[in-house]
Amino acid sequence: MKNYTHVSLTALFTMALLGCQPTSSSVQKKPELVINNSQDAIISQQLAQKALNSNVAYDIVESLTVEVGPRLAGTDKDIMAVDWAMEKLWLMGFDKVYKESVQVPAWSRGHASASIIAPYDQPLVITALGGSVATPIKGIQAPIVRFESLEELTLASPGRIEGKIVFIDHKTERHKDGNGYGVTVGGRSKGAVEAAKKGAVAIVIRSIGTNHDRMAHTGMMRYEEDVPKIPAAAMSIPDAELINDMLKRDPNIVMSLNMTSENLGIATSYNVIAEVTGSSKPDEIVLIGAHLDSWDEGTGAIDDGAGVAIVTAAAKLIQDLPQKPARTVRVVLYAAEEVGLVGGKAYAAQHADELDKHYIAAESDFGAGPIYQIDFNVAPSSFSQAQHQVSAMTLFGVALGTNDASGGPDVSMMPGLGVPVASLKQDGTDYFDYHHTPNDTLDKIDPKALAQNVAAYVQFAYMMAQSEIDLRPLASSK
Amino acid sequence: MKNYTHVSLTALFTMALLGCQPTSSSVQKKPELVINNSQDAIISQQLAQKALNSNVAYDIVESLTVEVGPRLAGTDKDIMAVDWAMEKLWLMGFDKVYKESVQVPAWSRGHASASIIAPYDQPLVITALGGSVATPIKGIQAPIVRFESLEELTLASPGRIEGKIVFIDHKTERHKDGNGYGVTVGGRSKGAVEAAKKGAVAIVIRSIGTNHDRMAHTGMMRYEEDVPKIPAAAMSIPDAELINDMLKRDPNIVMSLNMTSENLGIATSYNVIAEVTGSSKPDEIVLIGAHLDSWDEGTGAIDDGAGVAIVTAAAKLIQDLPQKPARTVRVVLYAAEEVGLVGGKAYAAQHADELDKHYIAAESDFGAGPIYQIDFNVAPSSFSQAQHQVSAMTLFGVALGTNDASGGPDVSMMPGLGVPVASLKQDGTDYFDYHHTPNDTLDKIDPKALAQNVAAYVQFAYMMAQSEIDLRPLASSK
């Protein structure tokens, strides 16, 4: 029988120290919460305390962003990042360090420029969307047609669109959990296909970010077979607003667009993996991941240098324990997340035979904002036991949440394959101010919040590696 | 004898409405403050109230930034801005609208790019400083040498600098009154000369802004006769920090720099002037100015579209009065401020014979943050009378300040020529986050704060145009 203790003042004090608000679920809705204070839980708290006092994670993300910097999948810098990771993990003394090759689409951003040439001559700040084709060498000059959203574009008659540049002007709302991005990302990924089906010659969307910086947000877009491939770009939010102010004056706006981006075929990259070998169940795996690739506009600090640092630093704390936990803790630094979860899919395929040995998986890929909640996706009958197992995380600002976690992009396919996952939810209020822009740089990371992430991940990983709960079968495939 | 009234609760209420804190000088240090409640002062309050309820200023800055946009002195867009201003002022019904030609230096930004090529290959975000020459076509590749400030560069031995790219890494501090900029601007304007004297091949400074956006701040730099002209640029603040993180790892950093900027000789621009003719002293002038030119990276919204809007809207309120004030209120929209106060100096020269008829002058050139204080530079014996004359401004969030005002850039030479000036000091806490960058766009303007500026300027201009105080002679030339 486990021992229990009530939520202590220490928990609230720790949350206050970290600048966290106690959430309704952690304090008001669950006054009955009792905290696991088993020997394992005490070790997990000691690990978390070490994490809070450590600079290891910050040093890792500084090293990656300074010594490598931007590392677009399939480029030379991507391979430099793989080499960096192999050496870094090796020097940190993990029991195993290895890499697994992944075939990734390679793409060159080239140059992108645009301006409004009528009724008022104004330059715009744009960036190519990932995977876009170039314009003809002389560029494209065409009237624009504005849509509120992808949905409005989908419903529009081709007569309004043919020969024009589609402008999707969908505003991304700011939310702690980043939900606004989910609403607008379809315009970025699917807009070119919808526009091209109706005869558009290009698409330039309002950046799907929450900031007001005159920077454009890149991100992946897709083409479809048998639909013309038209150039696709994003403009900065102040530029989208400029165009709206022009439209108030004159509905006839002509844009000039020049892009030299290019798809370069398939290149080889790598998932980089490090392990702390389990002491009694070494073939059973607790997977904590992040993605090593980044977009090429910033230095990939919050997306996803932070995640790389968080899961690596958490695993390093476990590696350094005198007594390793039962299960193996596996750090996976995925290749080519940005260009289509390529590393995550490759991992799932390459480890298909081993997935039944994956006890649980989680990915850190939402910047360096503090973790405020842990959600699971485990067998419904085990959910409350799983929550209790990690309940000492509440002492470090993490509330116990729901049982509908996705686990993160590169492990999002895992529940469908029967593997339990957890989402350690971060405060992403400002995440979409920076991500996928030149502003994704080291200065955007708060070292204290980063350390709190490590504290949460090390508790999670250790307690899962020691857990005696059966987390399967999941209620349904996700 | 004038009537007086004590500071009312209305003042505090108004300040609260505007989101202003009562300053120590308005409330704590001067509990004895009594407010002018003459008929003139009551009219000035009515004008201020109209200003607070008006969108005219916002409409003006929207029109300028949307229909013209960036308007670098000496370019076609500069002339478009002059034409825009002439038409706008004419349509607003001012008694007189005219322009005066000014010879201005013309310069083309061209393209600027830079990267660190050793020890770690990383692209940088830079921009050419105004007036800079180009690099050779093949660019410059050279080691960098870092200095904390212009002062440290000035003291350094040429042996450290010869053949290198100087990097001045002076951090601009955030202050309400923008004082941090004054500390670092010398590195931008004079750094190239100091570096070239010691054999540097180029200079790239840390942007003298207060933000953490990956944008570089432009601004004017100067060469000297007989000192080699070396290319001069600014890098973004995250890039300066990136280089510092590299320097922790390796002192030998090599930069590659390519710039195609070009000085294009002299072009013609114009000071644009509008007047409300005085009813009884039409030859005496209350001058309220702003500058019409802008840098070319943003749309010149806060620098200085806001100022153009503020002084124009204030004068328009006076133009629309049934009974005009005694003196003429003259709006001067100066040419080519950014490239060396060219319009301001030209105005002073062209109006030399009339300067003794300039009762007082002030310029709005610090964005659209609320005005919190009015300073004068008038005869010391008249200072307290001048303060009393405008004391109803305190009802709209403006404290009464000092007698050491500069008046603003384009009127800064006026005190030296015997002309009294005033500075309506704005909260510039975030001004240097945006100015001289691509982020100087319309969305950075808060319409309410802009309207409060108009309220302050209309009170100031009206009360000065009606004043019976002799403001001369000044204590000393500034």
Side-chain angles (χ1 to χ4, degrees):
Chain A
M1 189 66 192
K2 308 271 172 129
N3 295 316
Y4 295 120
T5 183
H6 285 274
V7 165
S8 66
L9 282 174
T10 314
L12 295 172
F13 179 62
T14 305
M15 286 190 277
L17 265 181
L18 291 164
C20 303
Q21 294 295 320
T23 65
S24 56
S25 58
S26 69
V27 173
Q28 291 171 331
K29 283 188 185 167
K30 297 193 173 181
E32 79 286 4
L33 176 66
V34 286
I35 292 181
N36 183 345
N37 69 349
S38 64
Q39 187 58 34
D40 286 346
I42 289 167
I43 292 172
S44 82
Q45 290 177 49
Q46 292 166 345
L47 287 167
Q49 199 55 57
K50 278 190 189 169
L52 293 181
N53 296 331
S54 167
N55 294 322
V56 170
Y58 191 83
D59 290 346
I60 291 170
V61 66
E62 179 186 304
S63 173
L64 178 57
T65 56
V66 171
E67 297 163 25
V68 181
R71 46 201 180 275
L72 182 63
T75 64
D76 291 349
K77 294 280 261 183
D78 185 27
I79 298 302
M80 283 181 59
V82 168
D83 293 343
W84 170 91
M86 289 293 292
E87 183 183 14
K88 182 70 68 181
L89 295 166
W90 180 256
L91 289 174
M92 290 176 83
F94 285 103
D95 292 329
K96 288 186 188 169
V97 178
Y98 54 103
K99 62 185 182 181
E100 298 176 340
S101 68
V102 180
Q103 299 306 297
V104 305
W107 175 78
S108 162
R109 175 171 301 286
H111 164 83
S113 64
S115 58
I116 300 299
I117 54 177
Y120 310 109
D121 187 14
Q122 293 248 25
L124 304 176
V125 172
I126 68 159
T127 192
L129 295 181
S132 175
V133 298
T135 60
I137 289 174
K138 290 189 174 178
I140 292 170
Q141 291 79 40
I144 67 165
V145 53
R146 175 185 178 278
F147 295 97
E148 292 276 350
S149 63
L150 175 65
E151 291 64 38
E152 199 199 359
L153 168 63
T154 305
L155 295 171
S157 70
R160 289 184 59 204
I161 296 169
E162 194 162 351
K164 294 183 179 166
I165 296 174
V166 163
F167 165 40
I168 297 183
D169 190 31
H170 205 166
K171 190 171 177 180
T172 302
E173 290 183 6
R174 185 184 298 278
H175 291 290
K176 183 177 180 181
D177 65 0
N179 272 353
Y181 187 73
V183 175
T184 53
V185 72
R188 189 191 76 203
S189 57
K190 301 173 193 163
V193 166
E194 285 306 313
K197 280 180 185 170
K198 296 177 178 180
V201 292
I203 180 169
V204 184
I205 66 167
R206 179 192 187 103
S207 286
I208 55 170
T210 48
N211 61 315
H212 258 85
D213 290 313
R214 202 176 189 194
M215 291 181 179
H217 296 231
T218 192
M220 205 59 187
M221 54 77 59
R222 313 227 167 275
Y223 294 118
E224 280 181 12
E225 295 284 329
D226 304 325
V227 178
K229 293 180 171 59
I230 60 172
M235 71 178 81
S236 84
I237 289 163
D239 285 298
E241 295 183 356
L242 178 69
I243 290 178
N244 281 310
D245 283 334
M246 287 188 183
L247 284 167
K248 289 192 294 188
R249 291 162 166 79
D250 189 330
N252 302 303
I253 294 184
V254 182
M255 183 185 291
S256 176
L257 179 68
N258 271 273
M259 293 165 56
T260 63
S261 42
E262 192 177 0
N263 286 297
L264 302 173
I266 298 297
T268 299
S269 186
Y270 299 88
N271 289 331
V272 178
I273 301 174
E275 292 182 4
V276 182
T277 306
S279 55
S280 59
K281 302 172 187 169
D283 59 335
E284 294 189 22
I285 295 153
V286 172
L287 188 160
I288 51 176
H291 67 84
L292 187 56
D293 69 310
S294 78
W295 283 107
D296 50 344
E297 301 257 53
T299 59
I302 65 166
D303 188 13
D304 186 24
V308 168
I310 290 162
V311 297
T312 303
K316 168 67 173 165
L317 286 164
I318 297 172
Q319 177 69 47
D320 290 348
L321 282 173
Q323 174 64 33
K324 303 295 189 302
R327 292 189 183 82
T328 289
V329 175
R330 178 179 288 175
V331 172
V332 184
L333 305 183
Y334 293 99
E337 186 272 348
E338 295 293 3
V339 297
L341 317 184
V342 182
K345 292 172 189 169
Y347 179 91
Q350 290 166 6
H351 293 261
D353 292 348
E354 192 190 31
L355 291 184
D356 60 341
K357 296 288 190 182
H358 281 59
Y359 183 72
I360 196 164
E363 183 177 24
S364 172
D365 182 21
F366 202 53
I371 294 172
Y372 63 91
Q373 183 168 302
I374 179 168
D375 293 347
F376 284 98
N377 185 355
V378 298
S381 58
S382 305
F383 175 51
S384 62
Q385 288 173 276
Q387 285 194 311
H388 178 260
Q389 176 72 2
V390 299
S391 53
M393 291 174 72
T394 59
L395 301 172
F396 296 83
V398 182
L400 305 178
T402 69
N403 197 30
D404 62 358
S406 75
D410 286 302
V411 302
S412 59
M413 62 294 291
M414 289 291 193
L417 300 167
V419 179
V421 297
S423 289
L424 281 67
K425 294 176 80 171
Q426 295 173 260
D427 185 335
T429 305
D430 65 1
Y431 184 64
F432 293 108
D433 288 349
Y434 306 128
H435 112 304
H436 293 199
T437 77
N439 249 344
D440 182 2
T441 49
L442 184 62
D443 51 283
K444 309 308 183 300
I445 292 180
D446 172 4
K448 282 187 182 172
L450 189 73
Q452 187 261 1
N453 274 265
V454 180
Y457 267 89
V458 73
Q459 284 190 286
F460 166 74
Y462 184 80
M463 295 306 289
M464 290 293 106
Q466 288 286 78
S467 167
E468 293 172 8
I469 306 159
D470 186 355
L471 300 179
R472 304 192 184 207
L474 304 186
S476 64
S477 296
K478 290 266 167 176
Chain B
M1 191 64 194
K2 307 273 173 124
N3 295 316
Y4 296 120
T5 182
H6 286 274
V7 165
S8 65
L9 282 175
T10 314
L12 295 173
F13 179 61
T14 305
M15 286 190 277
L17 265 181
L18 291 164
C20 303
Q21 293 295 320
T23 66
S24 55
S25 58
S26 68
V27 172
Q28 292 170 328
K29 282 187 186 166
K30 298 192 174 180
E32 79 284 7
L33 176 67
V34 286
I35 292 180
N36 184 346
N37 69 349
S38 64
Q39 187 58 34
D40 287 348
I42 289 166
I43 292 171
S44 81
Q45 290 176 48
Q46 292 167 345
L47 287 166
Q49 199 56 57
K50 279 189 188 167
L52 292 181
N53 295 331
S54 167
N55 294 322
V56 170
Y58 191 84
D59 290 345
I60 291 170
V61 65
E62 179 185 304
S63 173
L64 178 57
T65 55
V66 171
E67 297 163 26
V68 181
R71 45 201 182 276
L72 182 62
T75 64
D76 292 348
K77 292 281 261 185
D78 185 27
I79 298 303
M80 283 180 60
V82 169
D83 293 344
W84 170 91
M86 290 294 291
E87 183 183 15
K88 182 71 67 179
L89 295 166
W90 180 258
L91 290 174
M92 290 175 82
F94 285 103
D95 292 329
K96 287 186 187 169
V97 178
Y98 54 103
K99 63 184 180 181
E100 298 176 340
S101 68
V102 180
Q103 299 305 297
V104 305
W107 175 78
S108 162
R109 174 171 302 284
H111 164 83
S113 64
S115 58
I116 300 299
I117 54 177
Y120 310 109
D121 186 16
Q122 292 248 24
L124 303 176
V125 172
I126 69 160
T127 192
L129 295 181
S132 175
V133 297
T135 60
I137 290 175
K138 289 190 175 178
I140 292 171
Q141 290 79 39
I144 69 164
V145 52
R146 176 185 177 279
F147 295 98
E148 291 276 351
S149 64
L150 175 64
E151 291 65 37
E152 199 199 0
L153 168 63
T154 305
L155 296 171
S157 71
R160 290 184 59 202
I161 297 169
E162 195 162 350
K164 293 182 180 168
I165 297 174
V166 162
F167 165 40
I168 297 182
D169 190 32
H170 205 166
K171 190 171 176 178
T172 302
E173 289 183 4
R174 185 184 299 278
H175 290 291
K176 183 177 180 180
D177 65 2
N179 272 352
Y181 187 72
V183 176
T184 52
V185 72
R188 189 191 76 203
S189 57
K190 301 173 192 161
V193 166
E194 286 304 314
K197 281 180 183 170
K198 297 179 178 181
V201 293
I203 181 170
V204 184
I205 67 167
R206 178 192 187 102
S207 286
I208 55 170
T210 47
N211 61 315
H212 258 86
D213 289 313
R214 202 177 189 193
M215 291 181 177
H217 296 230
T218 192
M220 205 59 186
M221 54 77 59
R222 314 228 164 275
Y223 294 118
E224 281 182 11
E225 295 284 329
D226 304 324
V227 177
K229 293 180 171 59
I230 59 173
M235 71 179 81
S236 84
I237 289 164
D239 285 298
E241 296 184 354
L242 178 69
I243 289 177
N244 281 310
D245 284 333
M246 287 188 184
L247 284 168
K248 289 192 292 186
R249 291 162 166 78
D250 189 331
N252 302 304
I253 294 183
V254 182
M255 183 185 291
S256 175
L257 179 67
N258 270 74
M259 292 165 58
T260 63
S261 42
E262 192 178 359
N263 286 296
L264 302 172
I266 298 297
T268 298
S269 187
Y270 299 89
N271 289 331
V272 178
I273 300 174
E275 293 181 5
V276 182
T277 305
S279 55
S280 59
K281 302 171 185 169
D283 59 335
E284 294 189 21
I285 294 151
V286 172
L287 187 160
I288 50 175
H291 68 85
L292 188 54
D293 69 308
S294 77
W295 282 109
D296 50 343
E297 301 257 53
T299 59
I302 64 166
D303 188 13
D304 185 26
V308 167
I310 290 162
V311 298
T312 302
K316 168 66 173 166
L317 286 165
I318 297 173
Q319 177 69 46
D320 290 347
L321 281 174
Q323 173 65 32
K324 302 296 190 302
R327 292 187 183 83
T328 290
V329 174
R330 179 180 287 176
V331 172
V332 184
L333 305 183
Y334 293 100
E337 186 272 346
E338 295 293 2
V339 298
L341 317 183
V342 182
K345 292 172 187 167
Y347 179 92
Q350 290 166 4
H351 293 262
D353 292 348
E354 191 191 31
L355 291 184
D356 61 340
K357 295 290 191 183
H358 280 61
Y359 183 72
I360 196 165
E363 183 177 24
S364 171
D365 182 21
F366 202 53
I371 293 172
Y372 63 91
Q373 183 169 301
I374 179 168
D375 294 345
F376 285 98
N377 184 354
V378 298
S381 59
S382 304
F383 175 51
S384 62
Q385 289 174 275
Q387 285 195 310
H388 178 259
Q389 176 72 2
V390 299
S391 53
M393 290 174 72
T394 60
L395 301 173
F396 296 84
V398 183
L400 305 178
T402 69
N403 196 31
D404 62 358
S406 75
D410 287 303
V411 302
S412 59
M413 62 295 292
M414 288 291 192
L417 301 166
V419 179
V421 297
S423 289
L424 282 68
K425 294 175 77 170
Q426 295 173 261
D427 185 334
T429 304
D430 66 1
Y431 185 63
F432 293 109
D433 288 348
Y434 306 128
H435 111 304
H436 293 198
T437 76
N439 248 345
D440 182 2
T441 49
L442 184 61
D443 50 283
K444 309 309 183 300
I445 292 179
D446 172 4
K448 283 187 181 172
L450 189 73
Q452 187 262 2
N453 274 265
V454 180
Y457 267 90
V458 74
Q459 284 189 287
F460 166 75
Y462 184 80
M463 293 308 289
M464 289 294 105
Q466 288 286 75
S467 169
E468 293 171 9
I469 307 159
D470 186 355
L471 299 180
R472 304 193 186 206
L474 304 187
S476 64
S477 296
K478 289 266 168 176

